Structures are given as structure tokens and as C-alpha cells.
Amino acid sequence: MDMEKHHKVSIWYFVIGIWIVLILQSYLASTYSVKTIPYSQFLQKLKEGKIVEVNITEKQIQGLMQPEATSDEKTYFRTIRVDPDTSELLDKYQVNYSASIESTFFRDILSWVIPVLLFVGVWFFLMKRLAAQQPGFMSLGKNKAKVHKQEDVGVRFEDVAGVDEAVAELAEVIDFLKNPDKYISFGGSLPKGLLLVGPPGTGKTLLAKAVAGESQVPFFSISGSEFVELFVGMGAARVRDLFDQANANAPCIVFIDELDALGKARGFGGAGGHDEREQTLNQLLVEMDGFDPNVGVILMAATNRPEVLDPALLRPGRFDRQVLVDRPDKQGRIAILEVHLKKIKKLGNINVEDLANMTPGMVGADLANLVNEATLLTVRARKKTVEKEQFEEAVERLVAGLEKKNRLINPKERKIVAYHELGHALVALSLPGTDPVKKITIVPRGIAALGYTMQVPTEDRFLMTKTELLGKIASLLGGRAAEEIIFTDISTGAHNDLSKATDIARSMVTEYGMGERAGQVYYKQEPQAMFLQLEQRRNVSGNYSEKTAQVIDEEVRNIIDQQYAVAMKLLDEKRDILEEAVAELMEKEKIEGSYLEELIKKKGTGEPLQESAE
Ligand code: ADP
Ligand code: MG
Ligand code: ZN
């Protein structure tokens, strides 16, 4: 939009330029109105004595002659010099004449040198404007990847808070860049490509800069969207150029931000529409395969949409190491807030933990924004120091804007999610054969989950007993059960759990022969071959009778109902544990499974920890 406007303005300059040329020319034409006449007419006028004076050049005769009528002025004329002996004729009729070598210098200047200069001037002007708007316009194919030398990166790990796990992984990269020989002498080589994956605003770009800052090597950064060029072939040329520059500057870091803009899976979208991007991506793959990480070039990229990336990018030897940069939990937010609060010069008496409590679901960028907003509000309110009050107002402002964008959870939903997740965890911990609970969080992750209970199997399992399967169903239903016990009303949050629990129950009846009435019969329908006619398919699928189908449905329903009852009973008995754990989870947003186990041990005096699932 903005750019188009500029273009229009520039074209106006151009039009004005042409207009000026035209005016100049017509002005010249009017002062110099020279009549071109045939030579015969010239001779005629000569005989009539009408010619006043002439100037002869090699090819033409110019001169002044008397007017036709008395009212007219003398006119200039010009004619082609046909006769080489004109001078004799002129002598004969006593006309003053002069001869000169033809010079059209001034006329030429006026008629074409000036227009050309004008054109060139306008052209340069236009190009300059374009170049200003679109850096790289004048240097087509030249790389505009900015070379950030170590001193202008200026970011250290201490500036990136709340993502300790990612920092720990990246520390190895830095060690490599600092002492490459140590690794190379062992014959080791570092992963070629590191991919930072995480939601927007969690600090991926910042982390990449911090790696450069810590390792004190040049940092080349370019955004994926910059590669997707106007002109075919430019993107690929840029990639080549980028790697050439990197190799020449090794050791260094090449960082491609927003890799998804460039690395979307090939073959997405309409026919041939994305040829250019595909070429660029192919070039990137070629360059990645070609370069030797031991020269000290580390390739990093960031994306918040890893799922759309071309699988070729993620293969070993390419971006084979992925570093998760996740949303911060409460501790993380405290750390991030501390980083940004340090920048405020006049900070009131602020409790950082309070701020962290006010900002569940916010990422680093939101928190940085919050601190800035609070400062601005302080200035607006003409206060001397930034106080809690300003932060509260800033949170209100931001949350209103963020709610739609980031799915911030309101306090009531957070409470429901906390009970729900702990419902899963408590049931899982209390039943035999279920996987140990590792951690429970109510920090929203990814796109679907509002919170999750992470269960990690202790060993690889190939067989599962009926008791274990039932326990699994019960713990899946534990979320819903906790909601019912505490709130009586239930929410849609159990949707996924119910689908999983039903799947298990149905498999138990139809595949594992664990039903009571359906018996040891395998009822599962094999996937039908697609080429069979619809008619035939329907016949084939009649694997069991309507009556059996009803029995299966009833059995599935029974299993679910029974396990739901188990979960309800369990949670009802452990209600005090549930309440205490929820308080802790609401406070910390993330609790370890071991904490819950301790709590059960402490509270569950006398009563057996594990109950039968049946
Ligand atoms: P991303 O690239 O993941 O979208 P950025 O790195 O661009 O996010 O983060 C934007 C800004 O938000 C940073 O410049 C910084 O001020 C702030 N920020 C984000 N994450 C963090 C963090 N973990 N610690 C401190 N500041 C952060
Ligand atoms: Mg970024
Ligand atoms: Zn659930």
C-alpha cells in the first residue's frame, strides 16, 4: 500500500520531466521559426531580390528574406544546397553572404542532450527511491543477509531467561565454536543444523543471538521470508551467497529465522505456483549437504510451525537437532520479568512473584511488552516510580488483546484444568500397572492441550494385562471424574480422554477377547480393499451380527461406566489430597510426579495406596 503510493509519486516526477522538455522544445521552435523552402523557390526569390542575407554551409543555405506582404516580418528560411556554385549567383545578385562549417552544437544540446540528461536524472531518482524502499533492489542477487559482528549482537545467555533446557543444549554449540580442535581431534563433528522450535515470542531469535554473543563469532542472520524473492532464481542465488559468505568468515553462525516461510513442504499449493520457493529450498538442501561443519560454521534456524516443514529439512545431516523453546512456567516468567525489570530505572517496590502470578500463559515477548507498557503508563500518570498498580493496568490492557491471539486462560478455566489434570494423575498413581506420573502442568502447550499430565513408561512394554488396561481407562477418565466431584458441572475438556478411553475399551472387547459376554472372539473388521464395489464391501463388513454389535456396544459402555465409577470413588476418598495438590499446582503451574507421591504417602495413612481396578 505504502509502497504503491511512493511509486505513483515518482512517476509524477517523470511526467513533469517530460512535460518540461516538450515546453522547451516548442519554445525553441517558436523563436527559431525557420521555413524550409525548395531550392527552386530560393532561386526565384533571389532573382526577385527578396533575399537579404545568407549563410552557406556545405549542405545547406540559411538566410533571411523579405516578407511576402508588407505587414509581415522578415522570415528565416533554409534550403538544401543543390548547386555547388551558389556563391557566384549570390555575387551576381549582390547578396551579403557568409560561409561557415556547419555547427549544430547548440541545437543538438537543446533537442536531445538535455532530454537525455533529464531521463537519466529521473531514472536515477526513481532507482534511489526504490532502493530505499526495498534494500537489495540495486544489488540484485547480492545478499542482504546482514553480517552482525560479535560486538553488535550484544546478547548473552543472561538476557534469555526461563528457557534453561534450551540454553543447556546450546552451551555445547558454544563450546564447539570456542574450542573446535577439542572436538575435531576426537573425530567428532557437531550436528550441522540446530532448529529452535517453539511458539512465537518465546525467545528463539533472542537465543540464536545469545549463542553468537557468547561464542564471539560473526552472526549472519536472514529471515526465511526474505528469501522468497520477487524474481525467479534470486532466492537460490541468495542461499548460495549466504553460504559463501559464511564459509569465508568461519567460524561463524548462520541463522535463518522463520524457516517455515522458506521450508514449507514441497508440493503444497497449486500447480507450479511455488516453483521459486522450491528452488530456494532445494538450494538450501544442497548447500547443507555440501558444507563441512568442522570448518566452524554452525547453521541455526527457528520456526514456530515445525509441522509444515519439508521432511527433507529434518533428516539426519540437516536440521537434525531440535531444541524446544517452550512457553515459560511461573519460575520461568519470574526469571524473564527480572531480566526486563532491570531495565526500568525507577522501579517501585515490586514483588516479581505477584507479577508472575498475574501473567499465566504469557511468553517472553508478552512480558517484555508488559514491562514497557507499565513504564509508559507511569509516565502518562506522572508518577515518579513504576508501581504494581501500573503493572495491573498493563496486564489488563495486554490480556484483552492477547486473549484471542494466545488463548490465555482465565482463572476459572485454570482451576478446572488443574483439577482435571490432577484427577488423571491421582487415579494413575493409585492404580496398579499405570505408568508413573512424571509431571503435571497447566501451562498451555501447543495448540490443543490446556494442560497435561505426563506419564512416562518405565520400560518398553509389549504385553498389557487386563488390569493394566482397565487402570489406564480409569486414569483417562480421572480428569472428568475430578471435574464432576468438585464442580458438579462438567466441561468439554475431557473430549480427547473419552475418545482414547473408548478406543481402549473397544479394543479390549473386539480384539483382545476381554469382554464378559462377547467371549474370546476376534471381531475387529479388517480394512476393506478400496477397489471392491460398495455393494460387496457392505456384505464383507457383515463380520458379526447386529445382535453381536449390540453386545459389543454394551460391553464397551459397561467397561467405561465401571472405570468411571472407580475413578470417582478413588478421587472422592482422596479429596483432601486433590485439594492440596491443586493449590500447589495453581501456585507453581507445574509439579513433579514425585511431589504427588510424597503427598499421597503423607496423607494416605493406614489406607492402602493401591486398589484393585476391578
Ligand atoms: P521469537 O523469535 O521466539 O518469536 P523473540 O526472540 O523475537 O521471540 O523475542 C522477542 C522479544 O521478547 C525479545 O527481544 C525479548 O525482549 C523478549 N523475550 C522473549 N523471550 C524471552 C526470554 N526467554 N527471556 C527474556 N526476554 C525474552
Ligand atoms: Mg523470531
Ligand atoms: Zn484430560
Side-chain angles (χ1 to χ4, degrees):
M1 186 63 215
D2 191 41
M3 221 164 89
E4 243 166 67
K5 205 175 99 209
H6 278 295
H7 274 248
K8 275 197 196 122
V9 169
S10 309
I11 282 166
W12 274 113
Y13 285 114
F14 193 73
V15 168
I16 288 172
I18 290 184
W19 187 61
I20 290 173
V21 169
L22 287 178
I23 288 194
L24 262 175
Q25 274 185 335
S26 70
Y27 169 75
L28 287 175
S30 70
T31 52
Y32 252 118
S33 112
V34 178
K35 216 163 114 193
T36 305
I37 56 171
Y39 191 70
S40 59
Q41 199 186 341
F42 165 70
L43 287 181
Q44 169 85 22
K45 293 280 177 195
L46 193 63
K47 279 173 195 155
E48 285 169 14
K50 290 267 169 72
I51 302 294
V52 184
E53 55 176 13
V54 293
N55 173 291
I56 311 172
T57 67
E58 197 186 344
K59 288 193 192 108
Q60 64 172 13
I61 300 169
Q62 286 182 326
L64 195 62
M65 65 183 179
Q66 301 285 1
E68 302 283 324
T70 42
S71 60
D72 287 352
E73 287 181 23
K74 290 176 187 171
T75 46
Y76 287 95
F77 71 93
R78 170 197 297 159
T79 185
I80 305 293
R81 184 179 172 185
V82 180
D83 188 351
D85 303 323
T86 323
S87 53
E88 282 167 32
L89 265 174
L90 289 170
D91 280 339
K92 190 172 148 197
Y93 291 101
Q94 299 181 335
V95 176
N96 284 332
Y97 71 90
S98 60
S100 62
I101 292 171
E102 192 154 28
S103 161
T104 52
F105 183 72
F106 284 106
R107 211 184 61 227
D108 289 352
I109 283 196
L110 289 173
S111 64
W112 67 267
V113 175
I114 287 187
V116 164
L117 281 179
L118 249 166
F119 265 105
V120 171
V122 169
W123 173 254
F124 264 108
F125 182 76
L126 272 174
M127 290 311 261
K128 237 181 155 170
R129 285 227 112 154
L130 276 177
Q133 285 158 15
Q134 279 181 278
F137 184 84
M138 297 288 270
S139 56
L140 297 177
K142 268 264 164 216
N143 209 301
K144 55 182 178 182
K146 257 203 226 139
V147 184
H148 291 272
K149 291 284 182 203
Q150 171 263 320
E151 53 270 15
D152 48 310
V153 173
V155 180
R156 295 289 182 275
F157 276 152
E158 63 190 38
D159 301 318
V160 194
V163 284
D164 300 340
E165 288 147 44
V167 167
E169 289 207 46
L170 293 172
E172 193 192 349
V173 174
I174 289 163
D175 195 38
F176 177 86
L177 284 171
K178 278 188 173 160
N179 323 293
D181 299 335
K182 191 170 97 189
Y183 289 83
I184 294 168
S185 68
F186 276 102
S189 68
L190 218 68
K192 272 190 192 173
L194 279 155
L195 185 61
L196 304 175
V197 179
T202 45
K204 299 180 293 298
T205 308
L206 195 66
L207 257 175
K209 286 183 182 162
V211 170
E214 291 282 339
S215 51
Q216 318 243 322
V217 297
F219 180 71
F220 296 80
S221 78
I222 191 163
S223 169
S225 54
E226 288 175 82
F227 275 118
V228 184
E229 261 287 334
L230 208 55
F231 304 101
V232 176
M234 268 10 295
R238 283 227 168 117
V239 172
R240 228 172 293 135
D241 218 54
L242 179 68
F243 277 83
D244 285 349
Q245 281 193 54
N247 275 321
N249 284 282
C252 66
I253 291 170
V254 175
F255 177 57
I256 304 179
D257 210 350
E258 283 147 49
L259 182 66
D260 41 284
L262 150 77
K264 265 196 214 110
R266 284 164 293 188
F268 267 25
H274 297 287
D275 243 19
E276 167 59 8
R277 211 197 51 223
E278 226 166 86
Q279 271 189 30
T280 311
L281 174 56
N282 284 337
Q283 187 65 38
L284 177 65
L285 295 174
V286 167
E287 296 286 349
M288 284 194 78
D289 288 342
F291 92 94
D292 173 9
N294 289 344
V295 297
V297 179
I298 299 276
L299 190 57
M300 293 178 74
T303 180
N304 46 39
R305 302 167 65 205
E307 69 282 356
V308 306
L309 289 184
D310 196 300
L313 273 172
L314 307 176
R315 275 216 297 269
R318 289 167 184 163
F319 288 106
D320 45 10
R321 190 178 295 188
Q322 292 171 23
V323 179
L324 180 66
V325 188
D326 216 337
R327 281 175 197 277
D329 57 6
K330 188 173 153 190
Q331 285 309 318
R333 289 201 303 277
I334 290 179
I336 294 172
L337 280 165
E338 269 163 358
V339 167
H340 290 283
L341 287 175
K342 244 187 268 165
K343 292 173 196 160
I344 299 188
K345 296 216 175 68
K346 290 168 189 153
L347 189 61
N349 193 12
I350 300 281
N351 182 349
V352 188
E353 200 174 332
D354 287 348
L355 293 188
N357 282 333
M358 293 194 291
T359 52
M362 285 197 186
V363 295
D366 300 332
L367 294 172
N369 196 5
L370 172 75
V371 171
N372 190 44
E373 188 79 14
T375 319
L376 294 182
L377 287 171
T378 310
V379 176
R380 198 175 307 160
R382 296 171 202 279
K383 293 261 161 56
K384 293 234 168 60
T385 51
V386 191
E387 296 293 343
K388 188 169 176 204
E389 195 189 330
Q390 275 73 48
F391 279 99
E392 274 162 1
E393 197 182 335
V395 168
E396 261 165 47
R397 281 167 176 253
L398 284 183
V399 166
L402 286 172
E403 232 153 28
K404 288 169 228 121
K405 213 172 73 194
N406 276 357
R407 277 185 317 104
L408 286 193
I409 314 180
N410 68 40
K412 179 151 179 266
E413 279 180 349
R414 255 161 61 84
K415 205 164 175 189
I416 296 177
V417 174
Y419 276 106
H420 178 105
E421 294 305 329
L422 276 164
H424 287 308
L426 270 181
V427 174
L429 277 173
S430 311
L431 290 178
T434 45
D435 294 327
V437 174
K438 187 146 188 299
K439 72 178 169 193
I440 304 138
T441 112
I442 52 170
V443 181
R445 312 265 151 165
I447 294 155
L450 296 171
Y452 67 71
T453 305
M454 193 167 138
Q455 283 176 273
V456 195
T458 34
E459 54 204 317
D460 287 345
R461 298 294 302 269
F462 302 103
L463 287 174
M464 282 187 89
T465 65
K466 187 176 173 186
T467 314
E468 285 165 356
L469 285 172
L470 290 173
K472 196 154 188 153
I473 294 177
S475 67
L476 279 167
L477 297 171
R480 161 63 57 89
E483 284 181 43
E484 192 178 334
I485 290 174
I486 304 297
F487 303 102
T488 356
D489 200 5
I490 49 180
S491 79
T492 55
H495 153 106
N496 200 18
D497 305 330
L498 296 186
S499 128
K500 279 191 207 151
T502 312
D503 270 358
I504 298 175
R506 186 166 289 276
S507 295
M508 284 175 70
V509 178
T510 62
E511 289 176 64
Y512 309 139
M514 290 175 179
E516 270 151 31
R517 287 192 288 142
Q520 324 292 320
V521 179
Y522 189 82
Y523 295 106
K524 178 127 194 260
Q525 299 165 42
E526 298 302 330
Q528 304 300 315
M530 281 305 284
F531 51 80
L532 291 178
Q533 294 299 315
L534 259 179
E535 200 71 8
Q536 281 168 293
R537 252 196 262 173
R538 223 172 275 139
N539 286 339
V540 172
S541 73
N543 229 342
Y544 45 78
S545 68
E546 286 282 323
K547 221 174 132 210
T548 313
Q550 206 183 339
V551 171
I552 293 174
D553 287 343
E554 280 167 18
E555 290 241 54
V556 170
R557 172 74 195 270
N558 253 336
I559 293 176
I560 300 281
D561 283 353
Q562 275 171 19
Q563 293 316 306
Y564 190 64
V566 169
M568 287 286 278
K569 178 163 171 273
L570 242 164
L571 289 174
D572 206 25
E573 285 164 9
K574 294 190 162 55
R575 193 168 168 151
D576 53 337
I577 301 180
L578 182 63
E579 298 281 9
E580 191 167 334
V582 162
E584 176 82 3
L585 182 58
M586 293 284 284
E587 158 94 14
K588 300 254 170 71
E589 292 181 7
K590 187 165 90 181
I591 55 180
E592 299 294 321
S594 55
Y595 162 83
L596 210 53
E597 279 169 37
E598 287 293 311
L599 196 65
I600 293 175
K601 259 186 219 144
K602 203 173 72 192
K603 293 256 170 177
T605 39
E607 153 199 350
L609 183 63
Q610 300 202 331
E611 288 182 26
S612 164
E614 282 168 298

